[in-house]
Amino acid sequence: MKDFRKLQVWEKAHQLALTLYHVTASFPRDETYGLTSQMRRAAASIPSNIAEGCGRDGDAELSRFCTIARGSASELEYQLLLARDLKLIPANEYEELNQQTVEIKRMLTVLVQKLIADR
C-alpha cells in the first residue's frame, strides 16, 4: 500500500479539484445539476482514483486506477472547453485550468508507463 499524499500527481490533481469547486461556484444556478456537477465529479475523480489505486494491492492495480484517473482528466478537459465556449469561464482562466489538466494527464501517463515497466 502506497501513501497517495506523497505522489506529486495526486497533489496537483487535488489542487485542481479544489480550484474547480471554486470556479464552478459562480456558474449559473440552472447548471447546478448539469455542467457544474459533471465538472466537479470529473475533477474529484482524478485524485480519488489515484488514492484508491494506492490503497489496492500492487502496481498493476495502481496502474489501472491511474488509467481511470487519466480518463477523468480527459473528460474534464472537454468540460472545460465547453464551459469556455458557453462563456461560463473566461478564456484566460480556461487556458490555465486546461494546462493544469494536460500536465496531470502527462504525469499519469508517465506513472503508468513506469509501473508497467517495473512489473
Side-chain angles (χ1 to χ4, degrees):
M1 182 166 62
K2 297 179 186 333
D3 183 356
F4 62 87
R5 293 171 197 88
K6 293 182 179 177
L7 292 175
Q8 186 180 21
V9 67
W10 176 86
E11 180 59 39
K12 286 182 181 285
H14 176 63
Q15 290 305 317
L16 179 62
L18 292 173
T19 300
L20 257 293
Y21 265 77
H22 292 293
V23 167
T24 56
S26 66
F27 281 15
R29 188 175 213 112
D30 63 338
E31 285 295 340
T32 299
Y33 301 107
L35 195 54
T36 300
S37 176
Q38 287 181 310
M39 290 179 77
R40 287 178 173 187
R41 283 181 295 140
S45 177
I46 303 166
S48 295
N49 275 292
I50 296 167
E52 185 171 356
C54 285
R56 298 287 180 131
D57 292 329
D59 288 350
E61 285 287 291
L62 177 55
S63 174
R64 186 168 73 87
F65 279 91
C66 284
T67 300
I68 294 168
R70 192 174 56 204
S72 294
S74 291
E75 182 181 354
L76 179 60
E77 198 174 359
Y78 168 69
Q79 292 162 347
L80 286 166
L81 179 64
L82 180 60
R84 183 202 66 189
D85 291 350
L86 291 170
K87 308 282 190 256
L88 298 175
I89 56 175
N92 63 330
E93 192 170 20
Y94 161 78
E95 291 299 333
E96 176 62 27
L97 293 168
N98 187 64
Q99 184 273 327
Q100 290 174 28
T101 305
V102 169
E103 179 183 12
I104 289 165
K105 284 175 59 177
R106 284 187 188 127
M107 292 174 78
L108 286 166
T109 297
V110 169
L111 179 56
V112 167
Q113 289 171 345
K114 182 182 181 330
L115 291 167
I116 290 170
D118 288 349
R119 282 193 216 169

PDB file of all heavy atoms in Angstrom, residues 56-95:
ATOM      1  N   ARG A  56      -4.897  -0.216  -3.111  1.00  0.00           N
ATOM      2  CA  ARG A  56      -5.067  -1.575  -3.622  1.00  0.00           C
ATOM      3  C   ARG A  56      -3.748  -2.337  -3.543  1.00  0.00           C
ATOM      4  O   ARG A  56      -2.719  -1.787  -3.188  1.00  0.00           O
ATOM      5  CB  ARG A  56      -5.541  -1.531  -5.079  1.00  0.00           C
ATOM      6  CG  ARG A  56      -6.874  -0.871  -5.282  1.00  0.00           C
ATOM      7  CD  ARG A  56      -7.998  -1.761  -4.786  1.00  0.00           C
ATOM      8  NE  ARG A  56      -9.295  -1.125  -4.987  1.00  0.00           N
ATOM      9  CZ  ARG A  56     -10.314  -1.730  -5.546  1.00  0.00           C
ATOM     10  NH1 ARG A  56     -10.216  -2.969  -5.967  1.00  0.00           N
ATOM     11  NH2 ARG A  56     -11.465  -1.101  -5.669  1.00  0.00           N
ATOM     12  N   ASP A  57      -3.804  -3.597  -3.931  1.00  0.00           N
ATOM     13  CA  ASP A  57      -2.629  -4.459  -3.866  1.00  0.00           C
ATOM     14  C   ASP A  57      -1.829  -4.397  -5.151  1.00  0.00           C
ATOM     15  O   ASP A  57      -2.290  -4.869  -6.189  1.00  0.00           O
ATOM     16  CB  ASP A  57      -3.029  -5.914  -3.592  1.00  0.00           C
ATOM     17  CG  ASP A  57      -3.595  -6.097  -2.189  1.00  0.00           C
ATOM     18  OD1 ASP A  57      -3.172  -5.354  -1.287  1.00  0.00           O
ATOM     19  OD2 ASP A  57      -4.455  -6.981  -2.016  1.00  0.00           O
ATOM     20  N   GLY A  58      -0.652  -3.806  -5.081  1.00  0.00           N
ATOM     21  CA  GLY A  58       0.303  -3.898  -6.170  1.00  0.00           C
ATOM     22  C   GLY A  58       0.218  -2.822  -7.234  1.00  0.00           C
ATOM     23  O   GLY A  58      -0.739  -2.055  -7.326  1.00  0.00           O
ATOM     24  N   ASP A  59       1.277  -2.814  -8.037  1.00  0.00           N
ATOM     25  CA  ASP A  59       1.428  -1.809  -9.083  1.00  0.00           C
ATOM     26  C   ASP A  59       0.421  -1.982 -10.221  1.00  0.00           C
ATOM     27  O   ASP A  59       0.043  -1.005 -10.858  1.00  0.00           O
ATOM     28  CB  ASP A  59       2.857  -1.843  -9.645  1.00  0.00           C
ATOM     29  CG  ASP A  59       3.873  -1.278  -8.666  1.00  0.00           C
ATOM     30  OD1 ASP A  59       3.462  -0.693  -7.638  1.00  0.00           O
ATOM     31  OD2 ASP A  59       5.080  -1.414  -8.933  1.00  0.00           O
ATOM     32  N   ALA A  60      -0.013  -3.203 -10.478  1.00  0.00           N
ATOM     33  CA  ALA A  60      -0.976  -3.430 -11.565  1.00  0.00           C
ATOM     34  C   ALA A  60      -2.297  -2.722 -11.252  1.00  0.00           C
ATOM     35  O   ALA A  60      -2.896  -2.092 -12.125  1.00  0.00           O
ATOM     36  CB  ALA A  60      -1.209  -4.919 -11.777  1.00  0.00           C
ATOM     37  N   GLU A  61      -2.732  -2.816 -10.010  1.00  0.00           N
ATOM     38  CA  GLU A  61      -3.959  -2.140  -9.596  1.00  0.00           C
ATOM     39  C   GLU A  61      -3.784  -0.625  -9.624  1.00  0.00           C
ATOM     40  O   GLU A  61      -4.666   0.095 -10.097  1.00  0.00           O
ATOM     41  CB  GLU A  61      -4.375  -2.586  -8.188  1.00  0.00           C
ATOM     42  CG  GLU A  61      -4.964  -3.967  -8.154  1.00  0.00           C
ATOM     43  CD  GLU A  61      -6.358  -4.003  -8.756  1.00  0.00           C
ATOM     44  OE1 GLU A  61      -7.301  -3.450  -8.165  1.00  0.00           O
ATOM     45  OE2 GLU A  61      -6.506  -4.593  -9.842  1.00  0.00           O
ATOM     46  N   LEU A  62      -2.653  -0.135  -9.138  1.00  0.00           N
ATOM     47  CA  LEU A  62      -2.391   1.303  -9.166  1.00  0.00           C
ATOM     48  C   LEU A  62      -2.385   1.803 -10.604  1.00  0.00           C
ATOM     49  O   LEU A  62      -2.968   2.838 -10.915  1.00  0.00           O
ATOM     50  CB  LEU A  62      -1.066   1.636  -8.465  1.00  0.00           C
ATOM     51  CG  LEU A  62      -0.649   3.108  -8.495  1.00  0.00           C
ATOM     52  CD1 LEU A  62      -1.736   4.023  -7.934  1.00  0.00           C
ATOM     53  CD2 LEU A  62       0.659   3.295  -7.719  1.00  0.00           C
ATOM     54  N   SER A  63      -1.771   1.051 -11.480  1.00  0.00           N
ATOM     55  CA  SER A  63      -1.727   1.411 -12.896  1.00  0.00           C
ATOM     56  C   SER A  63      -3.137   1.500 -13.476  1.00  0.00           C
ATOM     57  O   SER A  63      -3.468   2.446 -14.206  1.00  0.00           O
ATOM     58  CB  SER A  63      -0.903   0.375 -13.671  1.00  0.00           C
ATOM     59  OG  SER A  63      -0.954   0.632 -15.048  1.00  0.00           O
ATOM     60  N   ARG A  64      -3.973   0.539 -13.156  1.00  0.00           N
ATOM     61  CA  ARG A  64      -5.357   0.520 -13.657  1.00  0.00           C
ATOM     62  C   ARG A  64      -6.124   1.749 -13.182  1.00  0.00           C
ATOM     63  O   ARG A  64      -6.815   2.405 -13.962  1.00  0.00           O
ATOM     64  CB  ARG A  64      -6.058  -0.757 -13.197  1.00  0.00           C
ATOM     65  CG  ARG A  64      -7.446  -0.946 -13.782  1.00  0.00           C
ATOM     66  CD  ARG A  64      -7.957  -2.348 -13.522  1.00  0.00           C
ATOM     67  NE  ARG A  64      -8.335  -2.566 -12.147  1.00  0.00           N
ATOM     68  CZ  ARG A  64      -9.556  -2.277 -11.660  1.00  0.00           C
ATOM     69  NH1 ARG A  64     -10.479  -1.767 -12.432  1.00  0.00           N
ATOM     70  NH2 ARG A  64      -9.836  -2.525 -10.403  1.00  0.00           N
ATOM     71  N   PHE A  65      -5.986   2.099 -11.910  1.00  0.00           N
ATOM     72  CA  PHE A  65      -6.715   3.249 -11.385  1.00  0.00           C
ATOM     73  C   PHE A  65      -6.137   4.574 -11.894  1.00  0.00           C
ATOM     74  O   PHE A  65      -6.876   5.545 -12.067  1.00  0.00           O
ATOM     75  CB  PHE A  65      -6.775   3.206  -9.854  1.00  0.00           C
ATOM     76  CG  PHE A  65      -7.857   2.291  -9.360  1.00  0.00           C
ATOM     77  CD1 PHE A  65      -7.594   0.958  -9.105  1.00  0.00           C
ATOM     78  CD2 PHE A  65      -9.147   2.755  -9.189  1.00  0.00           C
ATOM     79  CE1 PHE A  65      -8.593   0.097  -8.677  1.00  0.00           C
ATOM     80  CE2 PHE A  65     -10.160   1.907  -8.767  1.00  0.00           C
ATOM     81  CZ  PHE A  65      -9.885   0.573  -8.506  1.00  0.00           C
ATOM     82  N   CYS A  66      -4.848   4.604 -12.173  1.00  0.00           N
ATOM     83  CA  CYS A  66      -4.258   5.804 -12.775  1.00  0.00           C
ATOM     84  C   CYS A  66      -4.769   5.996 -14.201  1.00  0.00           C
ATOM     85  O   CYS A  66      -4.954   7.132 -14.655  1.00  0.00           O
ATOM     86  CB  CYS A  66      -2.731   5.735 -12.749  1.00  0.00           C
ATOM     87  SG  CYS A  66      -2.035   6.052 -11.119  1.00  0.00           S
ATOM     88  N   THR A  67      -5.010   4.899 -14.883  1.00  0.00           N
ATOM     89  CA  THR A  67      -5.573   4.968 -16.226  1.00  0.00           C
ATOM     90  C   THR A  67      -7.005   5.505 -16.169  1.00  0.00           C
ATOM     91  O   THR A  67      -7.408   6.324 -17.001  1.00  0.00           O
ATOM     92  CB  THR A  67      -5.529   3.584 -16.907  1.00  0.00           C
ATOM     93  OG1 THR A  67      -4.162   3.164 -16.971  1.00  0.00           O
ATOM     94  CG2 THR A  67      -6.113   3.619 -18.300  1.00  0.00           C
ATOM     95  N   ILE A  68      -7.761   5.083 -15.180  1.00  0.00           N
ATOM     96  CA  ILE A  68      -9.123   5.597 -14.987  1.00  0.00           C
ATOM     97  C   ILE A  68      -9.059   7.093 -14.660  1.00  0.00           C
ATOM     98  O   ILE A  68      -9.851   7.887 -15.190  1.00  0.00           O
ATOM     99  CB  ILE A  68      -9.855   4.815 -13.885  1.00  0.00           C
ATOM    100  CG1 ILE A  68     -10.071   3.362 -14.331  1.00  0.00           C
ATOM    101  CG2 ILE A  68     -11.177   5.484 -13.516  1.00  0.00           C
ATOM    102  CD1 ILE A  68     -10.513   2.424 -13.230  1.00  0.00           C
ATOM    103  N   ALA A  69      -8.112   7.485 -13.811  1.00  0.00           N
ATOM    104  CA  ALA A  69      -7.935   8.899 -13.462  1.00  0.00           C
ATOM    105  C   ALA A  69      -7.623   9.721 -14.710  1.00  0.00           C
ATOM    106  O   ALA A  69      -8.134  10.835 -14.882  1.00  0.00           O
ATOM    107  CB  ALA A  69      -6.824   9.051 -12.426  1.00  0.00           C
ATOM    108  N   ARG A  70      -6.797   9.175 -15.578  1.00  0.00           N
ATOM    109  CA  ARG A  70      -6.459   9.870 -16.827  1.00  0.00           C
ATOM    110  C   ARG A  70      -7.701  10.041 -17.701  1.00  0.00           C
ATOM    111  O   ARG A  70      -7.874  11.078 -18.356  1.00  0.00           O
ATOM    112  CB  ARG A  70      -5.364   9.103 -17.563  1.00  0.00           C
ATOM    113  CG  ARG A  70      -4.753   9.886 -18.710  1.00  0.00           C
ATOM    114  CD  ARG A  70      -3.581   9.151 -19.310  1.00  0.00           C
ATOM    115  NE  ARG A  70      -3.976   7.813 -19.741  1.00  0.00           N
ATOM    116  CZ  ARG A  70      -3.141   6.789 -19.871  1.00  0.00           C
ATOM    117  NH1 ARG A  70      -1.860   6.914 -19.618  1.00  0.00           N
ATOM    118  NH2 ARG A  70      -3.572   5.617 -20.274  1.00  0.00           N
ATOM    119  N   GLY A  71      -8.572   9.066 -17.711  1.00  0.00           N
ATOM    120  CA  GLY A  71      -9.835   9.185 -18.442  1.00  0.00           C
ATOM    121  C   GLY A  71     -10.701  10.301 -17.876  1.00  0.00           C
ATOM    122  O   GLY A  71     -11.303  11.074 -18.627  1.00  0.00           O
ATOM    123  N   SER A  72     -10.741  10.415 -16.560  1.00  0.00           N
ATOM    124  CA  SER A  72     -11.497  11.506 -15.928  1.00  0.00           C
ATOM    125  C   SER A  72     -10.882  12.856 -16.272  1.00  0.00           C
ATOM    126  O   SER A  72     -11.603  13.839 -16.459  1.00  0.00           O
ATOM    127  CB  SER A  72     -11.528  11.317 -14.404  1.00  0.00           C
ATOM    128  OG  SER A  72     -12.269  10.167 -14.066  1.00  0.00           O
ATOM    129  N   ALA A  73      -9.568  12.908 -16.368  1.00  0.00           N
ATOM    130  CA  ALA A  73      -8.894  14.153 -16.754  1.00  0.00           C
ATOM    131  C   ALA A  73      -9.253  14.530 -18.189  1.00  0.00           C
ATOM    132  O   ALA A  73      -9.457  15.714 -18.494  1.00  0.00           O
ATOM    133  CB  ALA A  73      -7.382  14.015 -16.585  1.00  0.00           C
ATOM    134  N   SER A  74      -9.362  13.551 -19.065  1.00  0.00           N
ATOM    135  CA  SER A  74      -9.779  13.823 -20.446  1.00  0.00           C
ATOM    136  C   SER A  74     -11.213  14.336 -20.483  1.00  0.00           C
ATOM    137  O   SER A  74     -11.538  15.257 -21.245  1.00  0.00           O
ATOM    138  CB  SER A  74      -9.650  12.569 -21.307  1.00  0.00           C
ATOM    139  OG  SER A  74      -8.297  12.244 -21.485  1.00  0.00           O
ATOM    140  N   GLU A  75     -12.055  13.748 -19.671  1.00  0.00           N
ATOM    141  CA  GLU A  75     -13.445  14.207 -19.564  1.00  0.00           C
ATOM    142  C   GLU A  75     -13.478  15.670 -19.101  1.00  0.00           C
ATOM    143  O   GLU A  75     -14.176  16.501 -19.677  1.00  0.00           O
ATOM    144  CB  GLU A  75     -14.194  13.317 -18.577  1.00  0.00           C
ATOM    145  CG  GLU A  75     -15.654  13.654 -18.410  1.00  0.00           C
ATOM    146  CD  GLU A  75     -16.349  12.753 -17.402  1.00  0.00           C
ATOM    147  OE1 GLU A  75     -15.739  11.787 -16.906  1.00  0.00           O
ATOM    148  OE2 GLU A  75     -17.521  13.029 -17.116  1.00  0.00           O
ATOM    149  N   LEU A  76     -12.693  15.985 -18.087  1.00  0.00           N
ATOM    150  CA  LEU A  76     -12.624  17.351 -17.579  1.00  0.00           C
ATOM    151  C   LEU A  76     -12.085  18.304 -18.633  1.00  0.00           C
ATOM    152  O   LEU A  76     -12.554  19.440 -18.752  1.00  0.00           O
ATOM    153  CB  LEU A  76     -11.760  17.408 -16.313  1.00  0.00           C
ATOM    154  CG  LEU A  76     -11.597  18.788 -15.693  1.00  0.00           C
ATOM    155  CD1 LEU A  76     -12.949  19.378 -15.276  1.00  0.00           C
ATOM    156  CD2 LEU A  76     -10.650  18.707 -14.493  1.00  0.00           C
ATOM    157  N   GLU A  77     -11.128  17.831 -19.413  1.00  0.00           N
ATOM    158  CA  GLU A  77     -10.548  18.656 -20.472  1.00  0.00           C
ATOM    159  C   GLU A  77     -11.646  19.133 -21.439  1.00  0.00           C
ATOM    160  O   GLU A  77     -11.695  20.310 -21.815  1.00  0.00           O
ATOM    161  CB  GLU A  77      -9.488  17.838 -21.210  1.00  0.00           C
ATOM    162  CG  GLU A  77      -8.529  18.626 -22.029  1.00  0.00           C
ATOM    163  CD  GLU A  77      -7.429  17.755 -22.613  1.00  0.00           C
ATOM    164  OE1 GLU A  77      -7.388  16.527 -22.372  1.00  0.00           O
ATOM    165  OE2 GLU A  77      -6.602  18.315 -23.336  1.00  0.00           O
ATOM    166  N   TYR A  78     -12.537  18.226 -21.823  1.00  0.00           N
ATOM    167  CA  TYR A  78     -13.645  18.628 -22.690  1.00  0.00           C
ATOM    168  C   TYR A  78     -14.619  19.560 -21.960  1.00  0.00           C
ATOM    169  O   TYR A  78     -15.086  20.561 -22.524  1.00  0.00           O
ATOM    170  CB  TYR A  78     -14.419  17.427 -23.243  1.00  0.00           C
ATOM    171  CG  TYR A  78     -15.709  17.912 -23.866  1.00  0.00           C
ATOM    172  CD1 TYR A  78     -15.677  18.669 -25.048  1.00  0.00           C
ATOM    173  CD2 TYR A  78     -16.924  17.721 -23.239  1.00  0.00           C
ATOM    174  CE1 TYR A  78     -16.828  19.194 -25.581  1.00  0.00           C
ATOM    175  CE2 TYR A  78     -18.086  18.248 -23.774  1.00  0.00           C
ATOM    176  CZ  TYR A  78     -18.040  18.983 -24.937  1.00  0.00           C
ATOM    177  OH  TYR A  78     -19.193  19.520 -25.457  1.00  0.00           O
ATOM    178  N   GLN A  79     -14.945  19.252 -20.729  1.00  0.00           N
ATOM    179  CA  GLN A  79     -15.903  20.071 -19.983  1.00  0.00           C
ATOM    180  C   GLN A  79     -15.391  21.501 -19.802  1.00  0.00           C
ATOM    181  O   GLN A  79     -16.178  22.458 -19.842  1.00  0.00           O
ATOM    182  CB  GLN A  79     -16.219  19.417 -18.640  1.00  0.00           C
ATOM    183  CG  GLN A  79     -16.983  18.125 -18.810  1.00  0.00           C
ATOM    184  CD  GLN A  79     -16.955  17.243 -17.595  1.00  0.00           C
ATOM    185  OE1 GLN A  79     -16.179  17.454 -16.667  1.00  0.00           O
ATOM    186  NE2 GLN A  79     -17.804  16.222 -17.586  1.00  0.00           N
ATOM    187  N   LEU A  80     -14.095  21.651 -19.625  1.00  0.00           N
ATOM    188  CA  LEU A  80     -13.512  22.994 -19.550  1.00  0.00           C
ATOM    189  C   LEU A  80     -13.710  23.739 -20.871  1.00  0.00           C
ATOM    190  O   LEU A  80     -14.058  24.927 -20.879  1.00  0.00           O
ATOM    191  CB  LEU A  80     -12.019  22.909 -19.211  1.00  0.00           C
ATOM    192  CG  LEU A  80     -11.674  22.544 -17.783  1.00  0.00           C
ATOM    193  CD1 LEU A  80     -10.202  22.158 -17.675  1.00  0.00           C
ATOM    194  CD2 LEU A  80     -11.993  23.703 -16.849  1.00  0.00           C
ATOM    195  N   LEU A  81     -13.485  23.048 -21.970  1.00  0.00           N
ATOM    196  CA  LEU A  81     -13.682  23.640 -23.292  1.00  0.00           C
ATOM    197  C   LEU A  81     -15.143  24.062 -23.474  1.00  0.00           C
ATOM    198  O   LEU A  81     -15.437  25.171 -23.941  1.00  0.00           O
ATOM    199  CB  LEU A  81     -13.266  22.642 -24.376  1.00  0.00           C
ATOM    200  CG  LEU A  81     -13.412  23.073 -25.819  1.00  0.00           C
ATOM    201  CD1 LEU A  81     -12.494  24.255 -26.129  1.00  0.00           C
ATOM    202  CD2 LEU A  81     -13.092  21.899 -26.737  1.00  0.00           C
ATOM    203  N   LEU A  82     -16.050  23.205 -23.075  1.00  0.00           N
ATOM    204  CA  LEU A  82     -17.476  23.510 -23.166  1.00  0.00           C
ATOM    205  C   LEU A  82     -17.825  24.727 -22.314  1.00  0.00           C
ATOM    206  O   LEU A  82     -18.529  25.633 -22.770  1.00  0.00           O
ATOM    207  CB  LEU A  82     -18.307  22.293 -22.743  1.00  0.00           C
ATOM    208  CG  LEU A  82     -19.831  22.452 -22.781  1.00  0.00           C
ATOM    209  CD1 LEU A  82     -20.302  22.778 -24.198  1.00  0.00           C
ATOM    210  CD2 LEU A  82     -20.493  21.184 -22.256  1.00  0.00           C
ATOM    211  N   ALA A  83     -17.317  24.766 -21.080  1.00  0.00           N
ATOM    212  CA  ALA A  83     -17.576  25.904 -20.189  1.00  0.00           C
ATOM    213  C   ALA A  83     -17.038  27.200 -20.784  1.00  0.00           C
ATOM    214  O   ALA A  83     -17.681  28.247 -20.699  1.00  0.00           O
ATOM    215  CB  ALA A  83     -16.966  25.644 -18.817  1.00  0.00           C
ATOM    216  N   ARG A  84     -15.877  27.130 -21.420  1.00  0.00           N
ATOM    217  CA  ARG A  84     -15.312  28.313 -22.071  1.00  0.00           C
ATOM    218  C   ARG A  84     -16.203  28.765 -23.219  1.00  0.00           C
ATOM    219  O   ARG A  84     -16.545  29.947 -23.341  1.00  0.00           O
ATOM    220  CB  ARG A  84     -13.912  28.030 -22.587  1.00  0.00           C
ATOM    221  CG  ARG A  84     -13.261  29.279 -23.223  1.00  0.00           C
ATOM    222  CD  ARG A  84     -12.159  28.944 -24.167  1.00  0.00           C
ATOM    223  NE  ARG A  84     -12.679  28.227 -25.340  1.00  0.00           N
ATOM    224  CZ  ARG A  84     -11.924  27.661 -26.252  1.00  0.00           C
ATOM    225  NH1 ARG A  84     -10.610  27.696 -26.146  1.00  0.00           N
ATOM    226  NH2 ARG A  84     -12.458  27.043 -27.282  1.00  0.00           N
ATOM    227  N   ASP A  85     -16.605  27.820 -24.064  1.00  0.00           N
ATOM    228  CA  ASP A  85     -17.415  28.152 -25.222  1.00  0.00           C
ATOM    229  C   ASP A  85     -18.811  28.648 -24.848  1.00  0.00           C
ATOM    230  O   ASP A  85     -19.428  29.408 -25.593  1.00  0.00           O
ATOM    231  CB  ASP A  85     -17.489  26.976 -26.185  1.00  0.00           C
ATOM    232  CG  ASP A  85     -16.149  26.701 -26.867  1.00  0.00           C
ATOM    233  OD1 ASP A  85     -15.220  27.536 -26.728  1.00  0.00           O
ATOM    234  OD2 ASP A  85     -16.027  25.650 -27.514  1.00  0.00           O
ATOM    235  N   LEU A  86     -19.300  28.225 -23.695  1.00  0.00           N
ATOM    236  CA  LEU A  86     -20.580  28.710 -23.183  1.00  0.00           C
ATOM    237  C   LEU A  86     -20.421  30.028 -22.412  1.00  0.00           C
ATOM    238  O   LEU A  86     -21.388  30.540 -21.855  1.00  0.00           O
ATOM    239  CB  LEU A  86     -21.235  27.656 -22.275  1.00  0.00           C
ATOM    240  CG  LEU A  86     -21.729  26.390 -22.965  1.00  0.00           C
ATOM    241  CD1 LEU A  86     -22.133  25.344 -21.942  1.00  0.00           C
ATOM    242  CD2 LEU A  86     -22.880  26.715 -23.913  1.00  0.00           C
ATOM    243  N   LYS A  87     -19.187  30.516 -22.362  1.00  0.00           N
ATOM    244  CA  LYS A  87     -18.854  31.781 -21.676  1.00  0.00           C
ATOM    245  C   LYS A  87     -19.077  31.705 -20.167  1.00  0.00           C
ATOM    246  O   LYS A  87     -19.371  32.695 -19.512  1.00  0.00           O
ATOM    247  CB  LYS A  87     -19.660  32.957 -22.256  1.00  0.00           C
ATOM    248  CG  LYS A  87     -19.598  33.103 -23.762  1.00  0.00           C
ATOM    249  CD  LYS A  87     -18.308  33.722 -24.206  1.00  0.00           C
ATOM    250  CE  LYS A  87     -18.339  34.092 -25.675  1.00  0.00           C
ATOM    251  NZ  LYS A  87     -17.614  33.214 -26.535  1.00  0.00           N
ATOM    252  N   LEU A  88     -18.922  30.499 -19.620  1.00  0.00           N
ATOM    253  CA  LEU A  88     -19.042  30.324 -18.173  1.00  0.00           C
ATOM    254  C   LEU A  88     -17.714  30.590 -17.473  1.00  0.00           C
ATOM    255  O   LEU A  88     -17.696  30.910 -16.287  1.00  0.00           O
ATOM    256  CB  LEU A  88     -19.543  28.914 -17.841  1.00  0.00           C
ATOM    257  CG  LEU A  88     -20.938  28.571 -18.369  1.00  0.00           C
ATOM    258  CD1 LEU A  88     -21.264  27.115 -18.094  1.00  0.00           C
ATOM    259  CD2 LEU A  88     -21.981  29.498 -17.769  1.00  0.00           C
ATOM    260  N   ILE A  89     -16.615  30.413 -18.206  1.00  0.00           N
ATOM    261  CA  ILE A  89     -15.301  30.782 -17.691  1.00  0.00           C
ATOM    262  C   ILE A  89     -14.581  31.595 -18.762  1.00  0.00           C
ATOM    263  O   ILE A  89     -14.723  31.305 -19.949  1.00  0.00           O
ATOM    264  CB  ILE A  89     -14.442  29.547 -17.259  1.00  0.00           C
ATOM    265  CG1 ILE A  89     -14.275  28.545 -18.390  1.00  0.00           C
ATOM    266  CG2 ILE A  89     -15.012  28.872 -16.031  1.00  0.00           C
ATOM    267  CD1 ILE A  89     -13.341  27.393 -18.064  1.00  0.00           C
ATOM    268  N   PRO A  90     -13.817  32.598 -18.350  1.00  0.00           N
ATOM    269  CA  PRO A  90     -13.080  33.401 -19.322  1.00  0.00           C
ATOM    270  C   PRO A  90     -11.945  32.603 -19.963  1.00  0.00           C
ATOM    271  O   PRO A  90     -11.442  31.634 -19.381  1.00  0.00           O
ATOM    272  CB  PRO A  90     -12.548  34.575 -18.506  1.00  0.00           C
ATOM    273  CG  PRO A  90     -12.690  34.196 -17.078  1.00  0.00           C
ATOM    274  CD  PRO A  90     -13.675  33.084 -16.985  1.00  0.00           C
ATOM    275  N   ALA A  91     -11.544  33.028 -21.145  1.00  0.00           N
ATOM    276  CA  ALA A  91     -10.520  32.313 -21.919  1.00  0.00           C
ATOM    277  C   ALA A  91      -9.216  32.153 -21.148  1.00  0.00           C
ATOM    278  O   ALA A  91      -8.600  31.082 -21.191  1.00  0.00           O
ATOM    279  CB  ALA A  91     -10.270  33.023 -23.246  1.00  0.00           C
ATOM    280  N   ASN A  92      -8.789  33.189 -20.429  1.00  0.00           N
ATOM    281  CA  ASN A  92      -7.521  33.091 -19.702  1.00  0.00           C
ATOM    282  C   ASN A  92      -7.606  32.071 -18.558  1.00  0.00           C
ATOM    283  O   ASN A  92      -6.656  31.339 -18.300  1.00  0.00           O
ATOM    284  CB  ASN A  92      -7.067  34.460 -19.179  1.00  0.00           C
ATOM    285  CG  ASN A  92      -8.031  35.064 -18.184  1.00  0.00           C
ATOM    286  OD1 ASN A  92      -9.237  34.830 -18.235  1.00  0.00           O
ATOM    287  ND2 ASN A  92      -7.511  35.868 -17.287  1.00  0.00           N
ATOM    288  N   GLU A  93      -8.739  31.998 -17.901  1.00  0.00           N
ATOM    289  CA  GLU A  93      -8.924  31.010 -16.837  1.00  0.00           C
ATOM    290  C   GLU A  93      -8.983  29.603 -17.439  1.00  0.00           C
ATOM    291  O   GLU A  93      -8.422  28.655 -16.882  1.00  0.00           O
ATOM    292  CB  GLU A  93     -10.203  31.322 -16.067  1.00  0.00           C
ATOM    293  CG  GLU A  93     -10.342  30.553 -14.780  1.00  0.00           C
ATOM    294  CD  GLU A  93     -11.481  31.066 -13.924  1.00  0.00           C
ATOM    295  OE1 GLU A  93     -12.399  31.735 -14.432  1.00  0.00           O
ATOM    296  OE2 GLU A  93     -11.445  30.773 -12.720  1.00  0.00           O
ATOM    297  N   TYR A  94      -9.650  29.481 -18.582  1.00  0.00           N
ATOM    298  CA  TYR A  94      -9.693  28.207 -19.286  1.00  0.00           C
ATOM    299  C   TYR A  94      -8.284  27.727 -19.609  1.00  0.00           C
ATOM    300  O   TYR A  94      -7.956  26.557 -19.382  1.00  0.00           O
ATOM    301  CB  TYR A  94     -10.510  28.323 -20.586  1.00  0.00           C
ATOM    302  CG  TYR A  94     -10.215  27.200 -21.548  1.00  0.00           C
ATOM    303  CD1 TYR A  94     -10.775  25.944 -21.363  1.00  0.00           C
ATOM    304  CD2 TYR A  94      -9.321  27.378 -22.605  1.00  0.00           C
ATOM    305  CE1 TYR A  94     -10.476  24.894 -22.227  1.00  0.00           C
ATOM    306  CE2 TYR A  94      -9.023  26.340 -23.466  1.00  0.00           C
ATOM    307  CZ  TYR A  94      -9.590  25.106 -23.276  1.00  0.00           C
ATOM    308  OH  TYR A  94      -9.286  24.066 -24.103  1.00  0.00           O
ATOM    309  N   GLU A  95      -7.450  28.624 -20.146  1.00  0.00           N
ATOM    310  CA  GLU A  95      -6.087  28.250 -20.535  1.00  0.00           C
ATOM    311  C   GLU A  95      -5.308  27.694 -19.342  1.00  0.00           C
ATOM    312  O   GLU A  95      -4.623  26.675 -19.465  1.00  0.00           O
ATOM    313  CB  GLU A  95      -5.345  29.435 -21.151  1.00  0.00           C
ATOM    314  CG  GLU A  95      -5.873  29.860 -22.503  1.00  0.00           C
ATOM    315  CD  GLU A  95      -5.777  28.782 -23.574  1.00  0.00           C
ATOM    316  OE1 GLU A  95      -4.888  27.907 -23.487  1.00  0.00           O
ATOM    317  OE2 GLU A  95      -6.602  28.810 -24.502  1.00  0.00           O
TER     318      GLU A  95
END
